[in-house]
Amino acid sequence: MNILSDIFNSMLPETILIFTVLILSVFSMFYTVEIHKLSKWIALTGIVAALFSLKYLQLEPVYYAFFESNISDTFTVFSKALVLISAFIVVLLSKKNVSKRNHKTFQFYALLISGILAAMFVISANDFILLTVSLEMMSFCIYFLIAYKKEYLSKEASFKYIVTNAFSTAVYLFGVSYLYAVTGCLNFNKINEYFLQNEPTLIYTIAILFVSSGLLFKLAILPFANWVLDVYEGSATSVSAYIATIPKIAVICIFARLMVFIFGNSFELPIILISLAVLTAIWANILAIRQKNILRILACSSSANAAYMLFALSLTSVYNLSTVLFYLVTYVFMNLGAFAAVIILENSNYSSKLHEFRGFAYSNPIFTLAFAICIFGLAGFPITSGFIAKLYLFSAIVRSGAIFVPMLIILAITMVVACYYYTNIVKLMFEKNRDIENEILPYKTSSPTVILYASAFITVIIGVAPAWLIEICKFVAYNL
């Protein structure tokens, strides 16, 4: 094993992020108020450098590093690029939240970059040792990021996340131990080779159900979704944006690899995952109707969209995987745009309560238009990328077989229900309320404003001309 060759060909972005975390940690020991703004620029520089370093990774042939525990291919590079782009946006969104506790900025960004680093290790994991360590590292970063606000709600949310994650991790580890008992190995390739030569047993089925359960927690899929509302509301908004995107990208991508190489020998698993996806979509969309806080609505939306992707991902095929990748890309930009809008409101001394949205359309028409585009995209309205993503998703499920059509109909009904609470957000902005006088939102150029408008623009562009992105997703899915 050549360590330098392995690092350069498969782990160069992660290495850059490791040095970024070390630099932030060193600066935190010599902190003064005058240099707290430097933390953001160090984090952004590390992310940009890691993003550009992706072009140096080996794609063809597939490169296995560190005794085949780490893999580099087209699929991992695409996924890492999406993580790093999301990370760049999240760092820009975090400026205001971090400035409220500027004596902890270096620690905050060190934790955030560590979580991003863990997500990238999850994506490139090719054995259960690296995957388990990476998942736990990502979870530990989230614990502290949630509690960063040091308020009662954030502490409660962090504790709830810890308790639920501890249970899901225990179940996951039981599954890994059973899988090792059956196959005698933890490497994905070797486990796959074992089941090419041997018939799956009942223990194998139990093992992969347990392993899947641990991953479902990160996606907020029932029965591991009781944390999602409190965590999104209790965390700083930029942290909620992080939780809603980067861990989901990582888990969806590793789930795809496991479905192809390890879980593909089970007939029962896809049926169970599809059932859980449908139940989660019903639960999340009905629960969202009752919410009066935009962050809690976005929490339900996040859970529901993860359920839609899980449905298609369970029916393993190249076409279905390309559908999920397309959906994932569109979801990231629409979701981050919505969170950017919430942060703009917070920066203008508004809360995340829905009743405060009344009248924004008349005093802030550009903001309202951009916010509405992102919301309508999440709802799946025409000319947005969300509409194409849902249409593409439906076609993938229909192509998988007529037996799944009844489930698809239920899923479609839940999407119609979702349209109610999404459109209600926009409708409130057009309602006049004489009791509330809206201060005009500042029109100065700020990071959240740029991100909101850019996300709205991308949502429309992909919705009008999606062919190029669909082709990229098909190419990536084919090369998994």
Side-chain angles (χ1 to χ4, degrees):
M1 180 184 71
N2 188 328
I3 293 178
L4 290 179
S5 176
D6 284 351
I7 289 173
F8 191 82
N9 287 304
S10 72
M11 272 186 57
L12 189 57
E14 289 91 335
T15 305
I16 292 171
L17 292 183
I18 289 170
F19 279 108
T20 304
V21 172
L22 290 174
I23 292 168
L24 287 166
S25 300
V26 170
F27 268 94
S28 70
M29 292 187 287
F30 304 99
Y31 168 82
T32 61
V33 176
E34 290 77 15
I35 65 168
H36 81 271
K37 292 183 179 179
L38 185 62
S39 59
K40 183 184 78 171
W41 295 109
I42 293 173
L44 288 174
T45 302
I47 291 169
V48 171
L51 186 59
F52 279 102
S53 72
L54 288 172
K55 69 178 182 178
Y56 298 107
L57 299 184
Q58 180 171 318
L59 306 182
E60 294 292 339
V62 176
Y63 190 89
Y64 294 100
F66 300 101
F67 300 105
E68 297 191 6
S69 66
N70 193 287
I71 184 171
S72 176
D73 58 11
T74 304
F75 180 76
T76 58
V77 170
F78 176 87
S79 305
K80 289 177 182 179
L82 187 56
V83 164
L84 289 170
I85 291 169
S86 304
F88 184 84
I89 296 171
V90 169
V91 170
L92 290 176
L93 290 178
S94 65
K95 177 183 175 183
K96 186 72 173 180
N97 293 331
V98 173
S99 64
K100 293 177 181 177
R101 298 187 65 209
N102 57 27
H103 62 293
K104 296 290 185 182
T105 53
F106 288 99
Q107 290 94 324
F108 176 87
Y109 286 118
L111 279 170
L112 188 64
I113 299 298
S114 297
I116 295 159
L117 172 66
M120 293 178 68
F121 275 127
V122 168
I123 289 168
S124 59
N126 195 49
D127 71 22
F128 279 109
I129 295 176
L130 179 59
L131 177 58
T132 303
V133 172
S134 303
L135 286 171
E136 287 311 295
M137 179 180 171
M138 189 166 65
S139 297
F140 268 86
C141 293
I142 293 174
Y143 299 156
F144 294 108
L145 288 172
I146 293 170
Y148 180 78
K149 283 174 69 176
K150 286 188 77 68
E151 296 176 358
Y152 175 78
L153 285 178
S154 63
K155 292 176 182 177
E156 180 187 4
S158 181
F159 182 73
K160 180 171 282 191
Y161 191 90
I162 290 172
V163 172
T164 313
N165 183 69
F167 177 75
S168 68
T169 300
V171 174
Y172 163 85
L173 290 174
F174 269 117
V176 172
S177 65
Y178 289 163
L179 206 53
Y180 180 77
V182 172
T183 63
C185 52
L186 293 170
N187 183 272
F188 295 169
N189 293 342
K190 292 178 181 177
I191 293 173
N192 187 46
E193 289 172 6
Y194 176 88
F195 286 111
L196 289 175
Q197 300 172 3
N198 299 276
E199 287 293 322
T201 62
L202 177 61
I203 296 295
Y204 160 78
T205 303
I206 295 172
I208 62 172
L209 285 174
F210 281 11
V211 172
S212 300
S213 297
L215 298 175
L216 294 180
F217 167 81
K218 304 294 189 298
L219 298 176
I221 301 295
L222 290 178
F224 301 104
N226 63 327
W227 58 271
V228 69
L229 294 177
D230 292 331
V231 165
Y232 277 58
E233 185 180 19
S235 307
T237 307
S238 59
V239 173
S240 298
Y242 164 81
I243 296 170
T245 51
I246 292 173
K248 281 185 169 52
I249 296 169
V251 174
I252 287 288
C253 292
I254 193 62
F255 223 122
R257 188 175 296 281
L258 291 172
M259 288 298 296
V260 171
F261 290 101
I262 297 178
F263 295 170
N265 298 296
S266 172
F267 171 77
E268 299 86 359
L269 183 63
I271 302 300
I272 293 171
L273 292 179
I274 288 169
S275 302
L276 291 177
V278 172
L279 287 173
T280 302
I282 295 170
W283 169 80
N285 287 313
I286 291 176
L287 188 63
I289 295 174
R290 300 165 48 197
Q291 305 308 316
K292 305 299 181 184
N293 185 307
I294 184 64
L295 290 174
R296 294 176 77 88
I297 289 175
L298 289 174
C300 294
S301 170
S302 171
S303 190
N305 280 287
Y308 304 151
M309 288 185 275
L310 181 64
F311 193 121
L313 196 61
S314 304
L315 307 170
T316 311
S317 71
V318 172
Y319 188 83
N320 283 26
L321 180 56
S322 68
T323 302
V324 172
L325 293 176
F326 181 85
Y327 198 107
L328 194 57
V329 173
T330 59
Y331 164 78
V332 164
F333 286 106
M334 294 183 296
N335 213 37
L336 289 175
F339 277 104
V342 176
I343 290 173
I344 292 170
L345 293 174
E346 291 178 351
N347 293 350
S348 303
N349 298 318
Y350 289 95
S351 73
S352 52
K353 302 291 185 182
L354 289 183
H355 68 84
E356 293 195 19
F357 286 23
R358 288 191 174 96
F360 277 138
Y362 305 103
S363 57
N364 311 281
I366 300 175
F367 165 82
T368 303
L369 176 63
F371 190 18
I373 289 172
C374 293
I375 292 296
F376 285 145
L378 289 170
F381 278 63
I383 79 158
T384 67
S385 58
F387 174 74
I388 303 299
K390 286 182 169 60
L391 206 61
Y392 196 15
L393 191 80
F394 280 17
S395 69
I397 295 171
V398 169
R399 285 173 57 137
S400 298
I403 190 173
F404 301 108
V405 171
M407 293 284 197
L408 180 61
I409 293 171
I410 297 172
L411 211 64
I413 293 170
T414 66
M415 291 180 183
V416 173
V417 172
C419 289
Y420 169 78
Y421 63 81
Y422 283 127
T423 53
N424 186 52
I425 297 170
V426 179
K427 187 184 77 171
L428 282 171
M429 294 183 175
F430 285 89
E431 286 185 6
K432 289 187 176 180
N433 190 339
R434 295 178 181 176
D435 298 329
I436 299 176
E437 294 183 7
N438 300 77
E439 298 175 10
I440 295 177
L441 296 167
Y443 283 97
K444 65 179 181 180
T445 303
S446 64
S447 299
T449 305
V450 172
I451 290 166
L452 172 61
Y453 296 159
S455 298
F457 179 74
I458 292 170
T459 298
V460 173
I461 289 297
I462 296 177
V464 173
W468 62 275
L469 183 56
I470 290 174
E471 289 304 314
I472 291 173
C473 292
K474 284 183 178 177
F475 175 78
V476 173
Y478 182 78
N479 285 277
L480 175 60

